[in-house]
């Protein structure tokens, strides 16, 4: 602060608001990052979690102890180590007790500690009781053995550990989430056996990469049996960079005709999922679901039952829709951000995390061994003094009885050190009889053997590695379990489209001369007999299903798509098509099609050009439509002809001059859009002047008849009678019989 302070003539210290605010915010940021939100790579705990575990150990709440009121623990935590709100400390404690939140819980709770449906439904701390779990010993067992540094608590009245001497990489095992200033952390939980296996691999082969370690750590392992469906390459990239995302999907099975969900993704509420499905049912977006039930109990913690409306429902498709639209499938952010052994926060790859933890563990084990060696050496030194005292017990007693200051006398007479003399003087009379040479020498031999072993380990890096490895294996054997979250390859879930939700009822779509559209149930109606506005009349109609879209062609050759299930009823007069699409100004509607996406249609212009098109290629979500038919100068769009089958089909094209040409449909190309090939030969000049043009094209087969209409007259030609009009595509065709020199239209009767 001294470099930003100024002192005026009155001796008042002054500092600019900018400098003060900047320093205050930076101090706050560093506090939040280092002392609140991020875990330490050594023990994987945030400060509040570390203080809770330490306070409980100081209260004697080991896994074998009796439960104690949680309020007592929280009081010790906030009174001695963590001067924050009691609710914040208790919530952190609750999280460590929930087996559906922590992969390896640290707190063993008795009472209401929340549920997977509502993790925050736990009882107040005055009602619940708690103690540490057996797994917590992995963090605390070596605490009093000189393994870690200590620091004064917030008021300097006692010390607390800076970090706990974790025997396994707990930062990966239980994971954590936190939001600091300018950074956040999202570490997912992992399987103990997999992480220990990877740590041993790195211990034995220090140059192992993240990809090598991923042979052991397959993926995160959540405290739920839902599937991890993230591709293997994405998981590998996540471990190599320290950032990424995971997707989890619920597990389901068939039980008779019902669909039963047996496992939910991490931290997903079953009641919330049922609510999401029910909302879709109320909005009539799930007509294929008849009922929902929650049959979860103590034996089956997750059992959500979905009852389909019938056995014909596609169960896979329904579940894929629910995966895409509810929390039955969920994505989790991964950000391996933590405080390293250098005290700095950073995002770390898997190999860096384990490398830093092994460095921390090696230092911890070395300090533990050195601490024990020091204690052994001290005890051996004392035992040497005891042995001398035993061998000269009468003289020792005489010196103690006669000398005013027996300690210096003992040190001078027997060559004892100060600690040895002090230990001899502190012996109780009743222990003198037990100072037998055999027991002293036996303890000396045991401690000497332990001293030699400790010195060997401390003097050999290989022996130290072996010790760390064996201890890791012992912890994995004691606390390890099988993977809960299976890794499964699944296709991406896809929600039902709006059309897939609609029942496939027969419908007739009608468009009037002035461009009004409506839909009538069934195929047995007469569109011409419907009511039309004054000055309007029937123009064209198409039969289809209510779950099939309507494709409309305008006079410029553009195609538009309109849903058929929500068209106005045919009981009314419909609505303008321009309210649903945006055609060019002055354009009229000339073509109407319905069917499956793979349904084929013959598209043509009255200039005599056309091609075969797939209905799916003509569909578009764009209100302005898409280009479909390229029109030669002066030509117009003809009503498309439906094609039931290409093989054995023929094209019949008639001009207004009474010429008819029939040729194989296979002679025309299949295109997504374009002008097409010449169907019947009409000079372009005659089309431009409108002297001659095509009045209709139809696709016929051997069972069909072709009806030609001219004014009030019509002629019905069976397929066998069309032999005279057959020719090559693009020819002029032959003249129809007398009376049909001016043709109005042609149509097919089946």
């Amino acid at each position: 602060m001294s470099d930003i302070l100024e002192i005026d003539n009155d001796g008042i210290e002054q500092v600019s608001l900018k400098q003060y605010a900047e320093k205050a915010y930076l101090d706050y940021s560093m506090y939040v990052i280092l002392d609140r939100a991020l875990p330490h790579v050594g023990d994987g705990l945030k400060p509040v979690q570390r203080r809770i575990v330490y306070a409980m150990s100081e209260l004697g709440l080991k896994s074998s102890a009796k439960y104690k009121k949680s309020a007592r623990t929280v009081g010790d935590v906030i009174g001695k180590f963590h001067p924050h709100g009691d609710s914040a400390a208790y919530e952190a404690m609750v999280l460590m007790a929930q087996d559906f939140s922590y992969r390896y819980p640290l707190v063993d709770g008795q009472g209401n500690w929340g549920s997977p449906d509502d993790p925050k439904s736990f009882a107040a701390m005055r009602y619940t009781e708690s103690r540490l779990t057996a797994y917590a010993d992995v963090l605390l067992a070596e605490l009093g053995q000189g393994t870690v540094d200590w620091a004064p608590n917030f008021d300097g009245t006692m010390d607390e550990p800076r970090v706990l001497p974790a025997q396994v990489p707990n930062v990966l095992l239980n994971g954590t989430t936190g939001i600091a200033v300018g950074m956040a952390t999202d570490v997912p939980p992992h399987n103990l056996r997999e992480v220990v296996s990877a740590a041993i691999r790195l211990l034995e082969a220090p140059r192992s990469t993240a990809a090598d370690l991923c042979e052991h750590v397959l993926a995160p392992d959540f405290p739920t049996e839902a599937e991890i469906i993230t591709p293997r390459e994405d998981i590998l990239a996540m471990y190599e960079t320290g950032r990424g995302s995971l997707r989890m999907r619920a597990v389901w099975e068939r039980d008779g005709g019902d669909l039963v969900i047996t496992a939910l993704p991490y931290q997903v509420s079953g009641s919330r999922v049922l609510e999401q499905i029910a909302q879709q049912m109320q909005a009539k977006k799930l007509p294929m679901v008849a009922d929902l039930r929650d049959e979860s109990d103590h034996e089956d913690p997750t059992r959500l039952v979905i009852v389909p409306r019938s056995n014909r429902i596609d169960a896979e498709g329904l579940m894929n829709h629910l995966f895409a639209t509810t929390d039955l499938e969920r994505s989790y952010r991964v950000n391996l951000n933590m405080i390293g052994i250098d005290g700095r926060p950073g995002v770390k790859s898997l190999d860096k995390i384990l490398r830093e933890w092994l460095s921390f563990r090696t230092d911890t084990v070395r300090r533990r061994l050195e601490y024990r060696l020091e204690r052994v050496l001290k005890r051996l030194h004392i035992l040497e003094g005891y042995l001398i005292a035993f061998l000269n017990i009468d003289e020792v007693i005489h010196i103690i009885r006669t000398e005013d200051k027996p300690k210096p006398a003992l040190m001078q007479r027997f060559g004892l050190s100060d600690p040895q003399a002090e230990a001899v003087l502190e012996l109780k009379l009743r222990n003198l009889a037990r100072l037998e040479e055999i027991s002293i020498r036996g303890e000396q031999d045991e401690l000497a053997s332990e001293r030699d072993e400790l010195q060997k380990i401390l003097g050999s890096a290989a022996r130290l590695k072996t010790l760390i490895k064996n201890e890791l294996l012992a912890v994995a054997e004691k606390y390890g379990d099988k993977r809960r979250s299976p890794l499964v390859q699944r296709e991406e879930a896809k929600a039902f489209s709006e059309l897939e939700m609609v029942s496939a009822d027969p419908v007739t779509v009608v468009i009037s001369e002035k461009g009004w559209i409506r839909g009538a149930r069934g195929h047995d109606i007469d569109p011409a007999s419907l009511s039309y506005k004054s000055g309007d009349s029937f123009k064209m109609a198409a039969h289809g299903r209510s779950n099939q879209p309507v494709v409309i062609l305008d006079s410029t050759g553009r195609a538009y798509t309109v849903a058929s299930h929500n068209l106005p009823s045919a009981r009314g007069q419909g609505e303008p098509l321009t309210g649903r699409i945006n055609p060019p100004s002055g354009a009229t509607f000339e073509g109407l099609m319905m069917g499956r996406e793979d349904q084929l249609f013959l598209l043509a212009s009255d200039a005599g050009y056309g091609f075969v098109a797939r209905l799916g290629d003509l569909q578009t979500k764009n209100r302005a439509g898409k280009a479909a038919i390229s029109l030669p100068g002066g030509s117009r769009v003809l009503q498309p002809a439906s094609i039931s089958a290409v093989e054995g089909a023929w094209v019949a094209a008639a001009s207004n001059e009474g010429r008819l040409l029939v040729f194989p449909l296979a002679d025309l190309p299949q295109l997504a859009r374009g002008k097409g090939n010449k169907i019947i030969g009409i000079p372009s000049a005659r089309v431009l002047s409108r002297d001659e043009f095509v009045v209709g094209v139809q696709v016929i087969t051997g069972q069909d008849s072709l009806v030609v209409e001219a004014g009030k007259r019509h002629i019905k030609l069976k397929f066998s009678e069309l032999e005279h009009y057959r020719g090559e595509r693009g020819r002029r065709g032959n003249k129809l019989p007398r009376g049909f020199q001016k043709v109005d239209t042609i149509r097919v009767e089946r």
Side-chain angles (χ1 to χ4, degrees), residues 709-721:
E709 296 181 351
K712 294 182 179 180
R713 304 182 64 181
H714 72 273
I715 184 174
K716 185 174 183 179
L717 301 173
K718 293 182 180 180
F719 183 79
S720 58
E721 297 172 335

PDB file of all heavy atoms in Angstrom, residues 709-721:
ATOM      1  N   GLU A 709     -60.418 -34.078 -72.694  1.00  0.00           N
ATOM      2  CA  GLU A 709     -61.601 -33.223 -72.667  1.00  0.00           C
ATOM      3  C   GLU A 709     -61.390 -32.021 -73.580  1.00  0.00           C
ATOM      4  O   GLU A 709     -60.329 -31.378 -73.541  1.00  0.00           O
ATOM      5  CB  GLU A 709     -61.887 -32.754 -71.229  1.00  0.00           C
ATOM      6  CG  GLU A 709     -62.235 -33.896 -70.284  1.00  0.00           C
ATOM      7  CD  GLU A 709     -62.525 -33.412 -68.880  1.00  0.00           C
ATOM      8  OE1 GLU A 709     -62.283 -32.208 -68.607  1.00  0.00           O
ATOM      9  OE2 GLU A 709     -62.964 -34.221 -68.036  1.00  0.00           O
ATOM     10  N   ALA A 710     -62.413 -31.735 -74.401  1.00  0.00           N
ATOM     11  CA  ALA A 710     -62.399 -30.574 -75.304  1.00  0.00           C
ATOM     12  C   ALA A 710     -63.773 -29.943 -75.241  1.00  0.00           C
ATOM     13  O   ALA A 710     -64.739 -30.468 -75.810  1.00  0.00           O
ATOM     14  CB  ALA A 710     -62.052 -31.003 -76.722  1.00  0.00           C
ATOM     15  N   GLY A 711     -63.894 -28.844 -74.531  1.00  0.00           N
ATOM     16  CA  GLY A 711     -65.206 -28.230 -74.351  1.00  0.00           C
ATOM     17  C   GLY A 711     -66.111 -29.163 -73.579  1.00  0.00           C
ATOM     18  O   GLY A 711     -65.750 -29.660 -72.516  1.00  0.00           O
ATOM     19  N   LYS A 712     -67.287 -29.426 -74.158  1.00  0.00           N
ATOM     20  CA  LYS A 712     -68.215 -30.326 -73.494  1.00  0.00           C
ATOM     21  C   LYS A 712     -68.015 -31.770 -73.915  1.00  0.00           C
ATOM     22  O   LYS A 712     -68.701 -32.667 -73.425  1.00  0.00           O
ATOM     23  CB  LYS A 712     -69.645 -29.905 -73.793  1.00  0.00           C
ATOM     24  CG  LYS A 712     -70.010 -28.547 -73.204  1.00  0.00           C
ATOM     25  CD  LYS A 712     -71.464 -28.204 -73.481  1.00  0.00           C
ATOM     26  CE  LYS A 712     -71.825 -26.856 -72.877  1.00  0.00           C
ATOM     27  NZ  LYS A 712     -73.247 -26.510 -73.131  1.00  0.00           N
ATOM     28  N   ARG A 713     -67.094 -31.992 -74.848  1.00  0.00           N
ATOM     29  CA  ARG A 713     -66.856 -33.338 -75.349  1.00  0.00           C
ATOM     30  C   ARG A 713     -65.660 -33.960 -74.624  1.00  0.00           C
ATOM     31  O   ARG A 713     -64.748 -33.266 -74.176  1.00  0.00           O
ATOM     32  CB  ARG A 713     -66.584 -33.298 -76.855  1.00  0.00           C
ATOM     33  CG  ARG A 713     -67.698 -32.622 -77.640  1.00  0.00           C
ATOM     34  CD  ARG A 713     -67.394 -32.649 -79.123  1.00  0.00           C
ATOM     35  NE  ARG A 713     -67.350 -34.018 -79.649  1.00  0.00           N
ATOM     36  CZ  ARG A 713     -67.090 -34.321 -80.911  1.00  0.00           C
ATOM     37  NH1 ARG A 713     -66.853 -33.325 -81.799  1.00  0.00           N
ATOM     38  NH2 ARG A 713     -67.089 -35.564 -81.327  1.00  0.00           N
ATOM     39  N   HIS A 714     -65.681 -35.299 -74.521  1.00  0.00           N
ATOM     40  CA  HIS A 714     -64.522 -35.992 -73.958  1.00  0.00           C
ATOM     41  C   HIS A 714     -64.435 -37.373 -74.598  1.00  0.00           C
ATOM     42  O   HIS A 714     -65.433 -37.922 -75.083  1.00  0.00           O
ATOM     43  CB  HIS A 714     -64.629 -36.110 -72.435  1.00  0.00           C
ATOM     44  CG  HIS A 714     -65.654 -37.076 -71.976  1.00  0.00           C
ATOM     45  ND1 HIS A 714     -66.990 -36.743 -71.796  1.00  0.00           N
ATOM     46  CD2 HIS A 714     -65.559 -38.408 -71.647  1.00  0.00           C
ATOM     47  CE1 HIS A 714     -67.658 -37.784 -71.389  1.00  0.00           C
ATOM     48  NE2 HIS A 714     -66.828 -38.822 -71.300  1.00  0.00           N
ATOM     49  N   ILE A 715     -63.237 -37.903 -74.597  1.00  0.00           N
ATOM     50  CA  ILE A 715     -62.988 -39.231 -75.147  1.00  0.00           C
ATOM     51  C   ILE A 715     -62.133 -39.999 -74.152  1.00  0.00           C
ATOM     52  O   ILE A 715     -61.221 -39.444 -73.541  1.00  0.00           O
ATOM     53  CB  ILE A 715     -62.283 -39.134 -76.532  1.00  0.00           C
ATOM     54  CG1 ILE A 715     -62.122 -40.544 -77.121  1.00  0.00           C
ATOM     55  CG2 ILE A 715     -60.935 -38.439 -76.416  1.00  0.00           C
ATOM     56  CD1 ILE A 715     -61.570 -40.532 -78.543  1.00  0.00           C
ATOM     57  N   LYS A 716     -62.460 -41.288 -73.993  1.00  0.00           N
ATOM     58  CA  LYS A 716     -61.730 -42.128 -73.045  1.00  0.00           C
ATOM     59  C   LYS A 716     -60.926 -43.158 -73.816  1.00  0.00           C
ATOM     60  O   LYS A 716     -61.488 -44.000 -74.515  1.00  0.00           O
ATOM     61  CB  LYS A 716     -62.704 -42.812 -72.084  1.00  0.00           C
ATOM     62  CG  LYS A 716     -62.049 -43.606 -70.981  1.00  0.00           C
ATOM     63  CD  LYS A 716     -63.117 -44.129 -70.001  1.00  0.00           C
ATOM     64  CE  LYS A 716     -62.487 -44.874 -68.857  1.00  0.00           C
ATOM     65  NZ  LYS A 716     -63.520 -45.364 -67.911  1.00  0.00           N
ATOM     66  N   LEU A 717     -59.628 -43.081 -73.743  1.00  0.00           N
ATOM     67  CA  LEU A 717     -58.725 -43.973 -74.480  1.00  0.00           C
ATOM     68  C   LEU A 717     -58.101 -44.970 -73.508  1.00  0.00           C
ATOM     69  O   LEU A 717     -57.423 -44.580 -72.548  1.00  0.00           O
ATOM     70  CB  LEU A 717     -57.623 -43.164 -75.163  1.00  0.00           C
ATOM     71  CG  LEU A 717     -58.091 -42.100 -76.169  1.00  0.00           C
ATOM     72  CD1 LEU A 717     -56.909 -41.263 -76.630  1.00  0.00           C
ATOM     73  CD2 LEU A 717     -58.760 -42.777 -77.363  1.00  0.00           C
ATOM     74  N   LYS A 718     -58.366 -46.274 -73.764  1.00  0.00           N
ATOM     75  CA  LYS A 718     -57.705 -47.287 -72.961  1.00  0.00           C
ATOM     76  C   LYS A 718     -56.221 -47.337 -73.315  1.00  0.00           C
ATOM     77  O   LYS A 718     -55.792 -46.848 -74.351  1.00  0.00           O
ATOM     78  CB  LYS A 718     -58.344 -48.651 -73.210  1.00  0.00           C
ATOM     79  CG  LYS A 718     -59.782 -48.743 -72.711  1.00  0.00           C
ATOM     80  CD  LYS A 718     -60.338 -50.141 -72.950  1.00  0.00           C
ATOM     81  CE  LYS A 718     -61.772 -50.239 -72.448  1.00  0.00           C
ATOM     82  NZ  LYS A 718     -62.344 -51.587 -72.679  1.00  0.00           N
ATOM     83  N   PHE A 719     -55.432 -47.958 -72.444  1.00  0.00           N
ATOM     84  CA  PHE A 719     -53.986 -47.983 -72.656  1.00  0.00           C
ATOM     85  C   PHE A 719     -53.639 -48.635 -73.991  1.00  0.00           C
ATOM     86  O   PHE A 719     -52.738 -48.188 -74.701  1.00  0.00           O
ATOM     87  CB  PHE A 719     -53.303 -48.743 -71.497  1.00  0.00           C
ATOM     88  CG  PHE A 719     -51.800 -48.754 -71.590  1.00  0.00           C
ATOM     89  CD1 PHE A 719     -51.046 -47.648 -71.209  1.00  0.00           C
ATOM     90  CD2 PHE A 719     -51.131 -49.870 -72.077  1.00  0.00           C
ATOM     91  CE1 PHE A 719     -49.665 -47.663 -71.310  1.00  0.00           C
ATOM     92  CE2 PHE A 719     -49.743 -49.893 -72.178  1.00  0.00           C
ATOM     93  CZ  PHE A 719     -49.005 -48.782 -71.792  1.00  0.00           C
ATOM     94  N   SER A 720     -54.398 -49.683 -74.352  1.00  0.00           N
ATOM     95  CA  SER A 720     -54.117 -50.374 -75.617  1.00  0.00           C
ATOM     96  C   SER A 720     -54.441 -49.500 -76.830  1.00  0.00           C
ATOM     97  O   SER A 720     -53.908 -49.713 -77.922  1.00  0.00           O
ATOM     98  CB  SER A 720     -54.917 -51.685 -75.676  1.00  0.00           C
ATOM     99  OG  SER A 720     -56.307 -51.408 -75.545  1.00  0.00           O
ATOM    100  N   GLU A 721     -55.296 -48.483 -76.644  1.00  0.00           N
ATOM    101  CA  GLU A 721     -55.689 -47.602 -77.742  1.00  0.00           C
ATOM    102  C   GLU A 721     -54.717 -46.439 -77.943  1.00  0.00           C
ATOM    103  O   GLU A 721     -54.894 -45.635 -78.849  1.00  0.00           O
ATOM    104  CB  GLU A 721     -57.098 -47.046 -77.483  1.00  0.00           C
ATOM    105  CG  GLU A 721     -58.172 -48.131 -77.433  1.00  0.00           C
ATOM    106  CD  GLU A 721     -59.521 -47.606 -76.989  1.00  0.00           C
ATOM    107  OE1 GLU A 721     -59.555 -46.561 -76.285  1.00  0.00           O
ATOM    108  OE2 GLU A 721     -60.546 -48.222 -77.333  1.00  0.00           O
TER     109      GLU A 721
END
